[in-house]
Amino acid sequence: MAPRPCLLLPLLLALALALGPAAGKARRLLALEALGEAEELAEELWGAGLPGDLPELEPECRRLLAAFAEGSAALTGCLGRRARPVRLCQACHRHYRRLLAQYGSIARAVGNSSESHNCAKSILTSDRLQIVVTLSEFFNETWDAANCANCLKNDSEGLSDSTVEFLDLFNKSLTCFEHNLQGQTIYLSPNNYTEVCKNCNETYKMLNDLYNNLQRMNRQGGESGHSAHLCIDVEDAMNITRKLWSRTFNCSVPCSDTVPVIAVSSFILFLPIVFYLSSFLHSKQKKRILILPKRIQSNASLVNIQEKYS
Ligand SMILES: *[C@@H]1O[C@H](CO)[C@@H](O)[C@H](O)[C@H]1NC(C)=O
Ligand SMILES: *[C@@H]1O[C@H](CO)[C@@H](O)[C@H](O)[C@H]1NC(C)=O
Ligand SMILES: *[C@@H]1O[C@H](CO)[C@@H](O)[C@H](O)[C@H]1NC(C)=O
Ligand SMILES: *[C@@H]1O[C@H](CO)[C@@H](O)[C@H](O)[C@H]1NC(C)=O
Ligand SMILES: *[C@@H]1O[C@H](CO)[C@@H](O)[C@H](O)[C@H]1NC(C)=O
Ligand SMILES: *[C@@H]1O[C@H](CO)[C@@H](O)[C@H](O)[C@H]1NC(C)=O
Ligand SMILES: *[C@@H]1O[C@H](CO)[C@@H](O)[C@H](O)[C@H]1NC(C)=O
Ligand SMILES: *[C@@H]1O[C@H](CO)[C@@H](O)[C@H](O)[C@H]1NC(C)=O
């Protein structure tokens, strides 16, 4: 019979101590290695089925935990790689969905009375740290903050149609920018982007309009929901394009909102004039009414005077 691990560990420790400080670094390292091996051995022995209430994870739960760990690593890698330029929602939604399923299959066992599949209890609630819950919360919060739900299809996976359309226009805009910059020697005329402004204005305007539309639709639909933000991929793409257009290329901004703005502000500008004009006319009318009896009166007094003097 193999020695019990709880005896083996102190035994090796004692051995390492007995060799003492005089034995030098090399020996201590050796002892440490031996200790590590002993720990591994102990773990193996534990796994080999020791008495009833040891904190043993069942094979099924261990499998679920390993799947969750791998899913977390894959999602983390994806989020990190797609941080700039932002492609989180486009690139990582499959990873996120899979992780949700993996977390779900761990958590689902909570209500399951079958003792043999109670992974949730042993994985999710058995310690103070609850690392699996923490990880899942982190991914949920990140996903919410990125508003990825906003550019994904409702239930089935994949980007929504409007998002695909937007990204397509974004790609077209960038391609147009690239094409129109190619002919230029950037060193000679760094500030002449006339061609870009002239040739890409249609694409840019379409992109800008679509973005404004999406934003408007989102605000209307979002009143029952939570956020007025579009998903980060779309926001960032528009941010980049707008900055290129107006700051780097210094093109004029074809803003579709200017007409209503001008209309409304000129209306407001004219309000005082309309007010004064109307009050002026009104008072003139009143004066006429007021003056009329006066004249009659004065006429009457004149008549009186005339009568007196006649
Ligand atoms: C409990 O788990 C077993 C095994 O996975 C499954 O067959 C059973 O349907 C589950 N019961 C409930 C109530 O979820
Ligand atoms: C993360 O979100 C999913 C789906 O919304 C939910 O089922 C899960 O419980 C959440 N995770 C945590 C730790 O709250
Ligand atoms: C999207 O989900 C909401 C509720 O979650 C539902 O009312 C709506 O019909 C769904 N739309 C589509 C296109 O599936
Ligand atoms: C646009 O999309 C095409 C293929 O869909 C791709 O080859 C190209 O690199 C994209 N251009 C940009 C600027 O992302
Ligand atoms: C910019 O380049 C165009 C030709 O591509 C030229 O007609 C124009 O005069 C240039 N503008 C400036 C400010 O250099
Ligand atoms: C784009 O620029 C061209 C040339 O300057 C002009 O004729 C056209 O009307 C512009 N289109 C838009 C949508 O502003
Ligand atoms: C747009 O870019 C600026 C600077 O690069 C940044 O501060 C801002 O947060 C960005 N806006 C959005 C909506 O991402
Ligand atoms: C942008 O263009 C305007 C004229 O259209 C000019 O006055 C201004 O100096 C330009 N700014 C830069 C940074 O090139």
Side-chain angles (χ1 to χ4, degrees):
M1 195 178 142
R4 298 192 55 139
C6 50
L7 291 181
L8 190 68
L9 272 174
L11 209 76
L12 279 166
L13 203 62
L15 186 70
L17 284 175
L19 289 173
K25 234 181 199 171
R27 261 195 208 144
R28 217 175 304 157
L29 270 178
L30 221 69
L32 276 177
E33 255 172 44
L35 255 180
E37 273 169 26
E39 274 170 14
E40 271 174 28
L41 181 64
E43 232 172 65
E44 266 173 35
L45 283 170
W46 274 33
L50 283 164
D53 51 355
L54 282 168
E56 176 59 25
L57 210 54
E58 289 167 39
E60 174 64 10
C61 300
R62 201 198 295 263
R63 197 186 59 75
L64 289 180
L65 183 58
F68 179 85
E70 250 166 54
S72 306
L75 180 55
T76 308
C78 183
L79 293 177
R81 276 193 304 276
R82 301 317 186 117
R84 286 264 89 201
V86 185
R87 301 271 192 279
L88 297 187
C89 308
Q90 302 162 59
C92 307
H93 65 92
R94 279 187 202 88
H95 290 298
Y96 180 65
R97 198 178 297 274
R98 208 178 62 202
L99 195 77
L100 279 188
Q102 282 158 344
Y103 182 80
S105 56
I106 292 174
R108 214 174 302 126
V110 158
N112 200 332
S113 58
S114 147
E115 282 288 323
S116 62
H117 281 277
N118 203 353
C119 301
K121 190 156 169 278
S122 51
I123 294 178
L124 300 184
T125 63
S126 290
D127 59 87
R128 175 173 62 81
L129 195 56
Q130 303 183 351
I131 197 74
V132 170
V133 177
T134 306
L135 281 175
S136 174
E137 271 171 1
F138 167 73
F139 289 125
N140 277 1
E141 279 161 17
T142 305
W143 206 249
D144 274 353
N147 267 315
C148 284
N150 231 318
C151 55
L152 295 175
K153 272 180 188 153
N154 222 0
D155 41 2
S156 66
E157 63 178 87
L159 298 173
S160 68
D161 296 342
S162 54
T163 308
V164 171
E165 192 188 348
F166 177 86
L167 292 175
D168 194 43
L169 265 176
F170 175 56
N171 180 317
K172 271 186 196 147
S173 303
L174 289 190
T175 310
C176 181
F177 293 167
E178 272 172 19
H179 279 186
N180 283 282
L181 290 177
Q182 253 170 12
Q184 271 192 41
T185 35
I186 294 186
Y187 319 97
L188 294 180
S189 52
N191 288 325
N192 193 348
Y193 294 111
T194 334
E195 289 294 307
V196 178
C197 297
K198 204 173 66 191
N199 296 334
C200 303
N201 64 350
E202 306 272 351
T203 323
Y204 178 77
K205 191 177 181 313
M206 272 158 74
L207 184 77
N208 208 23
D209 287 352
L210 179 58
Y211 184 82
N212 289 339
N213 268 347
L214 288 179
Q215 231 175 7
R216 202 171 305 133
M217 263 158 48
N218 188 49
R219 282 212 198 93
Q220 281 167 1
E223 282 178 28
S224 54
H226 35 262
S227 63
H229 279 284
L230 295 172
C231 79
I232 187 67
D233 294 27
V234 169
E235 263 189 345
D236 184 65
M238 197 65 230
N239 205 3
I240 287 173
T241 319
R242 276 181 181 161
K243 237 181 291 168
L244 273 176
W245 185 256
S246 53
R247 212 176 289 170
T248 309
F249 303 152
N250 196 16
C251 304
S252 64
V253 188
C255 195
S256 53
D257 287 344
T258 41
V259 173
V261 165
I262 288 172
V264 167
S265 33
S266 48
F267 173 73
I268 289 173
L269 215 78
F270 270 103
L271 270 184
I273 297 173
V274 169
F275 173 75
Y276 283 120
L277 205 70
S278 71
S279 69
F280 174 72
L281 288 175
H282 199 66
S283 66
K284 218 179 176 186
Q285 226 169 16
K286 263 192 180 160
K287 244 186 213 161
R288 212 177 282 154
I289 293 169
L290 281 175
I291 284 167
L292 216 62
K294 240 188 189 169
R295 261 196 206 144
I296 292 170
Q297 214 182 10
S298 63
N299 276 355
S301 59
L302 202 71
V303 169
N304 276 351
I305 290 166
Q306 276 175 350
E307 269 179 6
K308 262 188 187 172
Y309 281 80
S310 64

